[in-house]
Amino acid sequence: MSTTQSERLRELLEPLVSSKELDLEEIEVASVGRKRVLRVVIDSDDGVDLDQIADVSRELSEKLDESDAMGEGEYTLEVGSPGAERPLTEHRHYLRAVGRLVKFQLTEGGELIARILEVDDEGVDLEVPGVKGRKPTARRLTFDAVAKARVEVEFNRKDKKEEEA
């Protein structure tokens, strides 16, 4: 049974990332001109800071040097976090986005921008912002009603701003 390079890399790197109580969110091998780039995205319930990224980067680099997972030739290792406008693809992503504004692409068509209030195994409870002075409304979305979801950047968020800084 053959496996892809990304699957082999995940098998090699995920235990190391997990040992740091972090999640290995994404692995991507890309060609940039003549060079290859290995992009690794890590995260946790509390987010990741630059020191954690640097530590994981060093350890991943050592692990990759000991193996032949990247094959012959040079490559660049980039380790980072998901970023501000991360897509929500796993249940844990929705849990981490509680309180955040999210843009939902709905499976039945259309889109919705709402704040996640609660998450359970079946879906999310939302607060849909009011338009033109109207009060916000509550809405429930099941996960099967969501085609895509992405956190929206908020520059003027009024709550929890001081706690997150």
Side-chain angles (χ1 to χ4, degrees), residues 18-106:
S18 295
S19 74
K20 305 288 184 192
E21 297 184 7
L22 300 169
D23 295 314
L24 179 58
E25 296 292 352
E26 186 179 328
I27 292 178
E28 176 190 16
V29 180
S31 295
V32 179
R34 292 183 177 185
K35 296 190 177 194
R36 292 180 304 149
V37 177
L38 171 58
R39 292 186 181 99
V40 177
V41 177
I42 59 173
D43 200 8
S44 77
D45 290 343
D46 300 320
V48 291
D49 62 32
L50 291 175
D51 289 335
Q52 289 173 301
I53 290 172
D55 289 343
V56 169
S57 182
R58 277 190 295 277
E59 292 189 35
L60 292 180
S61 180
E62 289 173 12
K63 186 84 159 176
L64 289 163
D65 288 347
E66 294 169 1
S67 77
D68 65 348
M70 284 300 291
E72 296 296 317
E74 293 182 21
Y75 66 92
T76 302
L77 173 63
E78 294 179 358
V79 179
S81 66
E85 293 184 334
R86 71 155 323 138
L88 305 179
T89 58
E90 304 280 340
H91 187 264
R92 68 177 178 263
H93 299 163
Y94 286 91
L95 290 170
R96 291 174 185 163
V98 168
R100 304 286 306 270
L101 198 63
V102 174
K103 183 181 210 176
F104 296 92
Q105 299 290 328
L106 305 176

